[in-house]
């Protein structure tokens, strides 16, 4: 006698169970990706090389693409910024690139989609096959500022929209509303497999670029060798701060993935904290030890308030250094208690200042762990070597 065929009811029950199981697995997978105690993972994780060579990072700070986009001067400066990044990438061949804020000058962009300029800034790194990440600056989502010279005697702006020298999508949209922080980051993530950027927890909004990346050991892709933290220091659409909520997020995150503070941590944000003012060399004076650098042409322009992040950072022995941009006329590193506070070098030709352009390079050795840094200039020279670990 043959076996009875399963009933339709049983088959439906089995199908329901399978769908429930798949749904549960997807949910668990999504929650894992969003787990507050997990660094951002990628199909091609950042990792130290098996040959023992250092993990090298190039910082591109204050590019300011799109500045004075309606003039001949603006596009020419974007071409110059292309040249600087290309020269640095060719000279240093970094493993990773970090765009340290003010990638664009949104307040000078009379187009509704500033991500076109954002994408141009990323294209130099992408074309060379290098992974990168970004952190937002105070100009990246700033509101468009109408230039006074645009207004005729009748008070009507002399605007051609779209302009011949400004990328534009759409037929009639001339709202000049700008592109939000979330839109900039989301467009980058969705269109670039080499990007390691992510939008941070929604609970920290309007702060967006808050996340952590793991650089794995050369011996084990699951074993972290160093953590990179990115914090959105505001500006543009909201105050120039690292909020108390961000500070608490960092504290929870770092204790969750590095509870014994045994793995080194490095911090990246755009606007320096007030602690930078405490250690800064006297403005316009020569830089003396223990600080190391080459230009000291202005006062530190720090975040508007200190909401606890520096107290947390200096209390963790694992935090080795903090890197900021924002001040174009500063490129020094100075010790602050148990860690170092460093400025990048102004990389882009947009933005204020006529100082020669370059990039801060960070070189990290896994065994024994050490961080060294220097400035690579557009003309190929290098200077200001500093060891940031004991």
């Amino acid at each position: 006698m043959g076996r009875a065929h399963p009933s339709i009811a049983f088959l439906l029950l089995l199908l329901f169970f399978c769908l429930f199981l798949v749904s549960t697995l997807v949910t668990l997978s999504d929650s894992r990706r969003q787990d507050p105690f997990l660094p951002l993972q990628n199909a091609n994780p950042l990792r130290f090389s098996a040959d023992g060579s250092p993990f090298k990072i190039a910082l591109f700070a204050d590019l300011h693409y799109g500045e004075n986009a309606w003039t001949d001067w603006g596009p020419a400066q974007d071409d110059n910024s292309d040249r600087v990044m290309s020269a640095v990438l060719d000279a240093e061949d970094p493993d990773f690139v970090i765009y340290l804020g003010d990638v664009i000058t949104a307040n000078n962009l009379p187009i509704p989609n500033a991500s076109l300029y954002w994408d141009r800034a990323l294209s130099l790194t992408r074309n060379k096959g290098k992974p990168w990440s970004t952190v937002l600056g105070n100009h990246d989502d700033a509101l468009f500022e109408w230039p006074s010279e645009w207004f005729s005697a009748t008070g009507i702006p002399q605007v051609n929209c779209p302009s011949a020298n400004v990328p534009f999508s759409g037929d009639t949209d001339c709202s000049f509303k700008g592109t939000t922080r979330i839109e900039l980051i989301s467009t980058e993530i969705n269109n670039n497999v080499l990007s390691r950027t992510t939008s941070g927890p929604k609970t920290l909004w309007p702060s967006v670029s808050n996340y952590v990346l793991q650089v794995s050991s050369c011996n084990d892709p699951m074993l972290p060798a160093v953590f990179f933290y990115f914090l959105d220091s505001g500006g543009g659409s909201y105050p120039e701060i690292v909020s108390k909520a961000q500070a608490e997020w960092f504290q929870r995150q770092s204790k969750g993935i590095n509870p014994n503070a045994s793995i080194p941590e490095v911090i990246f944000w755009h606007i320096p904290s007030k602690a930078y003012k405490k250690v800064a060399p006297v403005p316009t004076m020569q830089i003396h030890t223990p600080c190391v650098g080459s230009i000291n042409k202005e006062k530190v322009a720090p975040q508007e308030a200190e909401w606890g992040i520096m107290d947390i950072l200096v209390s963790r022995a694992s935090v080795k250094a903090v890197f900021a941009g924002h001040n174009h006329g500063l490129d020094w590193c100075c010790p602050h208690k148990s860690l170092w506070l460093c400025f990048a070098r102004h990389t882009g030709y947009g933005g204020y200042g006529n100082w020669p352009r370059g990039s801060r390079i960070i070189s990290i050795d896994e065994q024994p762990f050490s961080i060294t840094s220097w400035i690579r200039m557009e003309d190929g020279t290098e200077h200001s070597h500093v060891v940031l670990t004991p």
Side-chain angles (χ1 to χ4, degrees):
M1 182 175 179
R3 299 179 61 185
H5 293 288
S7 67
I8 295 177
F10 175 78
L11 290 175
L12 289 175
L13 182 62
L14 182 62
L15 178 61
F16 175 79
F17 175 77
C18 291
L19 290 173
F20 174 78
L21 181 62
V22 170
S23 175
T24 301
L25 290 174
V26 170
T27 302
L28 288 174
S29 176
D30 288 342
S31 66
R32 180 174 174 80
R33 285 196 296 269
Q34 299 169 7
D35 191 310
F37 301 134
L38 286 174
L40 177 68
Q41 297 298 325
N42 189 276
N44 297 303
L46 303 177
R47 190 175 178 184
F48 280 92
S49 174
D51 64 8
S53 58
F55 187 87
K56 190 188 292 186
I57 305 164
L59 299 184
F60 292 153
D62 298 281
L63 295 168
H64 289 279
Y65 274 79
E67 190 158 308
N68 284 22
W70 57 89
T71 68
D72 292 336
W73 179 90
Q77 303 320 304
D78 292 347
D79 291 342
N80 291 336
S81 298
D82 287 348
R83 188 182 63 244
V84 178
M85 289 191 287
S86 216
V88 170
L89 291 170
D90 288 343
E92 293 289 352
D93 190 26
D95 300 287
F96 192 55
V97 171
I98 294 175
Y99 289 83
L100 204 57
D102 283 2
V103 177
I104 58 177
T105 304
N107 46 293
N108 272 189
L109 286 176
I111 61 171
N113 187 7
S115 59
L116 295 169
Y117 282 96
W118 188 279
D119 186 69
R120 175 175 174 177
L122 304 179
S123 65
L124 273 296
T125 300
R126 181 176 60 232
N127 292 344
K128 292 184 180 293
K130 304 293 184 183
W132 74 84
S133 64
T134 56
V135 65
L136 288 159
N138 55 297
H139 282 280
D140 289 317
D141 76 335
L143 294 176
F144 179 71
E145 298 175 5
W146 290 85
S148 59
E149 63 267 25
W150 280 23
F151 289 82
S152 67
T154 61
I156 300 173
Q158 298 174 347
V159 181
N160 293 319
C161 188
S163 174
N165 63 346
V166 176
F168 181 80
S169 61
D171 297 327
T172 59
D173 188 354
C174 293
S175 67
F176 308 107
K177 63 181 179 180
T179 306
T180 67
R181 299 169 95 78
I182 292 176
E183 290 172 327
L184 287 170
I185 293 296
S186 297
T187 301
E188 175 191 334
I189 294 170
N190 293 334
N191 295 344
N192 296 282
V193 296
L194 288 171
S195 172
R196 300 298 187 265
T197 305
T198 189
S199 292
K202 293 180 180 179
T203 54
L204 300 182
W205 189 87
S207 175
V208 173
S209 51
N210 302 283
Y211 57 101
V212 56
L213 296 178
Q214 173 180 309
V215 183
S216 298
S217 170
C218 66
N219 298 317
D220 184 350
M222 301 302 294
L223 181 65
V226 58
F227 289 119
F228 295 158
Y229 280 90
F230 300 84
L231 292 170
D232 190 334
S233 55
S237 60
Y238 76 101
E240 297 178 353
I241 57 169
V242 172
S243 68
K244 182 179 179 181
Q246 287 171 274
E248 291 173 347
W249 170 83
F250 169 82
Q251 191 168 41
R252 292 192 305 271
Q253 180 83 7
S254 57
K255 288 184 177 180
I257 63 175
N258 193 13
N260 299 321
S262 58
I263 301 167
E265 298 164 331
V266 183
I267 314 299
F268 300 93
W269 57 40
H270 178 69
I271 305 174
S273 66
K274 288 184 176 294
Y276 275 72
K277 291 188 69 174
K278 297 177 182 179
V279 302
V282 177
T284 74
M285 300 294 286
Q286 187 175 356
I287 299 171
H288 296 286
T289 55
C291 298
V292 178
S294 68
I295 55 171
N296 183 37
K297 301 298 184 181
E298 58 182 327
K299 295 180 180 179
V300 174
Q303 299 162 20
E304 295 176 14
E306 172 57 62
W307 294 97
I309 186 63
M310 285 307 306
D311 290 338
I312 295 171
L313 296 182
V314 299
S315 70
R316 286 184 64 81
S318 49
V319 177
K320 305 302 180 183
V322 181
F323 294 92
H326 193 57
N327 279 101
H328 301 179
L330 302 174
D331 76 348
W332 45 257
C333 286
C334 290
H336 173 63
K337 299 183 179 179
S338 59
L339 50 81
W340 283 78
L341 303 178
C342 293
F343 280 103
R345 181 77 181 209
H346 184 196
T347 305
Y349 270 79
Y352 70 91
N354 295 317
W355 305 288
R357 270 46 171 188
S359 168
R360 176 167 292 282
I361 307 299
I362 306 168
S363 180
I364 306 176
D365 285 286
E366 181 181 7
Q367 293 295 338
F369 184 85
S370 67
I371 304 176
T372 57
S373 184
W374 61 89
I375 304 294
R376 170 69 68 175
M377 301 301 295
E378 177 186 2
D379 64 6
T381 59
E382 59 179 86
H383 58 79
S384 304
H385 281 250
V386 58
V387 179
L388 302 178
T389 46

